[in-house]
């Protein structure tokens, strides 16, 4: 069974993506052409994979590690429900997950 994720792109358009359990949220978004750079490829050494999780879904995600919290401090346009998409693995419970890709995500000049 596939897991449906709704990505809201920086222009406000919804992009629906179907992933599999165990798939990485960053990879799924990239495969759908969302502007998620993910420069460090999941090593938590950048913050270009930053997404803002819909508040309704935020509580359903496993908590962020200290390293992730630290890295998020450097992300542009951080909100209370921000996460690094490279740290999120799809599970059955996340079917319907909605995340927004912030406009600043790929534009380090505006930090
Ligand atoms: Fe660099 Fe997620 S890809 S922190």
């Amino acid at each position: 069974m596939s897991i449906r994720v709704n990505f809201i792109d920086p222009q406000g358009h919804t992009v629906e993506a179907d992933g599999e359990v165990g798939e990485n949220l960053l990879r799924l978004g990239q495969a759908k052409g969302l502007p998620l750079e993910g420069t460090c490829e999941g090593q938590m050494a950048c913050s270009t994979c930053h997404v803002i999780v819909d508040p309704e879904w935020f509580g359903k995600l496993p908590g962020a590690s200290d390293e992730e919290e630290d890295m998020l401090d450097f992300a542009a346009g951080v909100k209370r429900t921000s996460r690094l998409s490279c740290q999120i693995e799809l599970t059955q419970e996340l079917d319907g997950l909605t995340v927004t890709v912030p406009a600043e995500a790929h534009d380090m000049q505006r930090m």
Side-chain angles (χ1 to χ4, degrees), residues 55-100:
E56 276 190 34
W57 285 95
F58 188 70
K60 299 193 170 86
L61 296 171
S65 63
D66 289 347
E67 289 88 348
E68 182 179 343
E69 297 282 5
D70 288 350
M71 217 52 237
L72 277 168
D73 289 342
F74 294 104
V78 166
K79 299 270 191 307
R80 199 176 49 81
T81 62
S82 289
R83 291 296 302 266
L84 296 177
S85 61
C86 70
Q87 299 302 309
I88 297 174
E89 226 180 57
L90 297 183
T91 60
Q92 208 78 71
E93 293 70 45
L94 296 181
D95 187 29
L97 175 68
T98 301
V99 301
T100 300

Side-chain angles (χ1 to χ4, degrees), residues 26 37-50 71 84-87:
L26 170 63
E37 278 184 25
T39 313
C40 78
E41 302 190 337
Q43 301 303 305
M44 275 197 277
C46 73
S47 55
T48 59
C49 62
H50 167 217
M71 217 52 237
L84 296 177
S85 61
C86 70
Q87 299 302 309

